Amino acid sequence: MIEGKILIWRLKYGSSDALQRIYEKYVAYLVTLATALLNDVSAAEDIVHDVFVSFAQSTEKLRLEGSLKAYLATCVVNRVRDRVRTRQRQPARLDEACSICSTANGPELSAVCGEELQKLSCAITKLPYEQKEVIILHLQGGLMFKQIAESQNLSINTVQSRYRYALDKLRSLLNSEMT
Amino acid sequence: MKPAEIEELVKKLHVKPGDEMYGRTLTDMLEAQKTSREKLAARQPNLWRFIMESKITRYSAAAVVTLAAALVLLGPFGTSKNGSIVWAEVVENVSQMRTVIHKEKYVFWDMGKEEPFLEANAMKLDAMKYASEEYGVAEDVFDVFGDKGTLLAQVYLLKETQQGVMVAPTEKKYGKLSMPEDIFNRITGILTPRGMVEYFRSGQYTELGRAKFDNFDVEGFETTDPNVLYPLPEPLRSFFPVNYIVGRIWIDVETSLPVSIEAEFNTDRGLFTGFNKLHGEWRAYDFQWNAELPEGIFEPNIPDDYTEFKVTDLIPPEAKAGFVGLGIIPAGFIFWKKRRIKRVKANRHE
């Protein structure tokens, strides 16, 4: 967190090194987060691209209260939510299902995605978006329930309930596939 | 599968960004940062322009230069013998003088705009300074550009009341500042004959040799050490960050008294430079030692319709907005507040 604050401080004074350092540090984390929420690597990469470009344009105005990681994660989630809302107004695409591990993204991804992970990513796509967001932000994003609640303007109880429902549903989906 | 196993599995999800996306985002992001910086620089108020536009702020900035130059120029010379000039004699002669009247000129302009004779690019002021061991210092400052010869400000350092007074006829404003004895003595000490003597006593210099100067046979001495020439503490130094300075003094061979004192300096960007890099030149000359001072010269004349100004009046509103944007005011305020809280806490624990 302190390193994040130092990077932000340097960034405010126009350091492009600091910006590059922030990018290198968080890009994979944010792409994973966005991909887990959207099940679409290309769309996730577009979102992360836009978040970083927008971040670079607004560093002088930035007033960071929490951690830089949580801030960037929130930026990604807000854009993902907009994308999801737009998608909900469009007819569903058949090829989107279970795309987190099936989207071609080079040999690294294939290696990471074992059978279990593939099943998990398929199960995650079946969660309601609100529950998916909580479970991904908490487990993948490393955000605390309190941080998630603040970023989404929800009570901490609501966030915890969504998390429990999501976990129950994942367990039920994964166990039914195994039997 | 147990919930804990599912949690561990979710944590294992990992997507490596594609090489194309990685490179493109990095390029676009750095370009966006550069463009944003350029736009911001274009929007940022030019504080130097604001300072230049207000005559009284011009003088305030100039006063900083003069004070720095006074500190600078009277500091670096020792008491040893140099050529035909015996410094002990100079010290002795100057310390005998109870009054001095001299003229000053200063001009400074943005580096890179080397046209100091155009009003738009430079500030040019003339001043007449009166110093008395008994009463203090008075200075009349005239604007060389604009309404040529306009009296821009009268500045007084009055020994009797230990006050600094500034009257600005063009603005119809005045200001008074009482000072602690030690600070008052330090400031007036620099500007009076006795103060000069104090400063003549230490420092390094190089000899410039003999010259003819305003019909005087003189010997010159020069110093370029910024630590000696610009002995201000770091926080003040950053307001007017002089990075190069050369000071020269010319002593009349016949009388062993200064005939001219001059300085040239370059600055980095600072608050009192309007965040521009400046080049400045200052010269004190035409010394009249032990001269009879004009009657009433140490009695400030403040007409009834003049209003008192505060330090913040020196900063135009647009420039104040600029300072807040740059975080200068809040940073200082927070520092002061934190120290205050710390002090209160410490007192409670005692």
Side-chain angles (χ1 to χ4, degrees):
Chain A
M1 187 155 166
I2 289 170
E3 192 197 353
K5 284 197 186 299
I6 292 169
L7 285 172
I8 283 288
W9 182 79
R10 284 177 54 206
L11 192 62
K12 276 174 173 288
Y13 285 87
S15 165
S16 51
D17 283 349
L19 183 60
Q20 195 164 338
R21 175 85 188 84
I22 290 168
Y23 176 70
E24 285 162 359
K25 193 173 176 192
Y26 296 116
V27 66
Y29 161 77
L30 295 174
V31 169
T32 302
L33 204 64
T35 308
L37 292 169
L38 283 168
N39 309 307
D40 181 341
V41 178
S42 303
E45 286 184 341
D46 284 349
I47 279 177
V48 174
H49 169 276
D50 292 350
V51 163
F52 273 113
V53 170
S54 171
F55 177 67
Q57 285 167 338
S58 60
T59 47
E60 287 87 1
K61 291 179 268 178
L62 193 65
R63 297 278 180 273
L64 203 61
E65 287 172 4
S67 76
L68 179 57
K69 187 180 171 183
Y71 171 80
L72 290 170
T74 305
C75 291
V76 165
V77 168
N78 288 339
R79 280 177 188 259
V80 167
R81 228 179 273 156
D82 290 345
R83 178 73 65 113
V84 168
R85 274 191 215 114
T86 314
R87 262 192 200 174
Q88 279 169 350
R89 290 195 288 269
Q90 293 169 350
R93 283 163 48 194
L94 291 172
D95 60 344
E96 278 178 2
C98 304
S99 59
I100 183 167
C101 286
S102 60
T103 306
N105 195 42
E108 294 87 350
L109 183 66
S110 309
V112 170
C113 288
E115 196 188 341
E116 273 190 331
L117 280 173
Q118 193 123 20
K119 282 180 184 163
L120 174 72
S121 70
C122 283
I124 287 173
T125 61
K126 289 171 187 162
L127 291 176
Y129 180 77
E130 294 76 19
Q131 292 177 19
K132 185 173 22 177
E133 197 174 280
V134 172
I135 208 149
I136 296 295
L137 282 178
H138 183 62
L139 295 174
Q140 240 313 304
L143 302 190
M144 291 181 289
F145 291 128
K146 193 181 164 212
Q147 285 175 303
I148 299 169
E150 280 168 3
S151 73
Q152 297 184 357
N153 265 337
L154 295 170
S155 75
I156 195 162
N157 289 339
T158 307
V159 171
Q160 283 171 332
S161 301
R162 284 180 181 177
Y163 181 78
R164 273 198 308 276
Y165 290 135
L167 210 55
D168 284 348
K169 187 152 190 183
L170 281 179
R171 192 174 55 163
S172 132
L173 285 166
L174 291 170
N175 287 342
S176 67
E177 274 192 29
M178 283 173 186
T179 51
Chain B
M1 238 181 169
K2 293 174 185 168
E5 289 170 329
I6 296 171
E7 285 176 331
E8 282 308 306
L9 203 57
V10 174
K11 285 179 190 171
K12 280 183 190 165
L13 283 174
H14 177 77
V15 180
K16 184 178 181 287
D19 292 342
E20 192 273 331
M21 175 268 177
Y22 188 91
R24 179 170 51 91
T25 306
L26 185 59
T27 310
D28 291 353
M29 183 186 73
L30 292 174
E31 185 58 35
Q33 185 194 33
K34 195 178 155 205
T35 313
S36 165
R37 269 206 311 254
E38 284 165 2
K39 275 187 190 163
L40 191 77
R43 280 204 311 269
Q44 204 97 56
N46 183 337
L47 301 185
W48 179 238
R49 183 162 53 80
F50 291 131
I51 285 172
M52 295 292 278
E53 277 169 5
S54 163
K55 293 195 173 186
I56 196 64
T57 52
R58 275 187 200 192
Y59 176 70
S60 307
V64 174
V65 179
T66 317
L67 182 62
L71 281 165
V72 159
L73 293 169
L74 302 175
F77 304 102
T79 54
S80 60
K81 184 183 183 304
N82 304 281
S84 59
I85 294 292
V86 180
W87 276 95
E89 264 179 46
V90 179
V91 171
E92 176 60 24
N93 286 352
V94 172
S95 65
Q96 296 294 321
M97 305 299 170
R98 307 306 297 168
T99 65
V100 59
I101 302 174
H102 71 265
K103 292 175 183 169
E104 287 179 358
K105 268 187 191 301
Y106 35 104
V107 51
F108 49 96
W109 65 92
D110 291 2
M111 283 167 76
K113 293 179 186 170
E114 309 293 321
E115 296 175 68
F117 305 106
L118 298 177
E119 185 177 0
N121 291 341
M123 174 154 74
K124 213 172 174 186
L125 300 169
D126 280 347
M128 182 70 91
K129 192 176 275 175
Y130 308 87
S132 156
E133 278 296 321
E134 199 176 343
Y135 298 107
V137 179
E139 185 175 29
D140 295 338
V141 184
F142 299 90
D143 187 10
V144 173
F145 285 135
D147 298 329
K148 203 168 180 176
T150 305
L151 179 63
L152 196 59
Q154 292 175 297
V155 181
Y156 304 87
L157 287 160
L158 304 172
K159 266 196 169 176
E160 191 182 357
T161 53
Q162 298 205 333
Q163 258 188 338
V165 179
M166 183 159 114
V167 185
T170 54
E171 309 285 319
K172 292 198 167 186
K173 284 195 177 262
Y174 73 95
K176 288 183 177 178
L177 179 69
S178 295
M179 286 178 247
E181 192 179 354
D182 58 330
I183 292 177
F184 183 87
N185 288 341
R186 270 183 83 174
I187 294 173
T188 51
I190 294 160
L191 303 173
T192 56
R194 188 183 294 278
M196 289 184 179
V197 173
E198 294 297 321
Y199 277 87
F200 276 127
R201 284 188 178 158
S202 63
Q204 299 295 316
Y205 53 85
T206 53
E207 293 173 25
L208 297 173
R210 286 262 182 142
K212 196 87 173 165
F213 209 103
D214 290 347
N215 293 325
F216 291 100
D217 282 321
V218 293
E219 271 193 35
F221 303 90
E222 181 180 284
T223 183
T224 55
D225 180 354
N227 292 319
V228 177
L229 282 168
Y230 199 53
L232 295 181
E234 190 47 54
L236 292 177
R237 204 181 266 219
S238 61
F239 285 159
F240 201 86
V242 172
N243 62 17
Y244 168 78
I245 190 160
V246 54
R248 291 181 208 99
I249 188 164
W250 301 93
I251 305 287
D252 181 4
V253 174
E254 197 179 318
T255 62
S256 286
L257 286 169
V259 167
S260 175
I261 309 172
E262 60 196 42
E264 286 176 40
F265 53 86
N266 294 336
T267 75
D268 285 326
R269 297 172 204 279
L271 184 62
F272 284 121
T273 71
F275 296 100
N276 282 15
K277 292 183 177 182
L278 302 183
H279 174 81
E281 294 173 8
W282 174 86
R283 186 182 166 215
Y285 64 105
D286 202 3
F287 289 87
Q288 300 168 49
W289 299 96
N290 264 351
E292 193 174 330
L293 300 177
E295 203 175 322
I297 193 74
F298 294 106
E299 292 166 14
N301 173 28
I302 305 171
D304 291 343
D305 59 337
Y306 283 25
T307 53
E308 191 164 4
F309 68 79
K310 301 164 194 147
V311 175
T312 47
D313 288 343
L314 297 175
I315 308 167
E318 300 91 330
K320 277 179 200 161
F323 295 157
V324 173
L326 288 162
I328 291 166
I329 292 171
F333 178 70
I334 288 161
F335 178 69
W336 169 80
K337 214 168 176 190
K338 275 188 175 168
R339 286 196 56 168
R340 196 160 171 263
I341 290 165
K342 230 176 173 180
R343 258 203 316 272
V344 170
K345 275 184 181 170
N347 290 341
R348 270 193 209 141
H349 289 298
E350 274 170 8

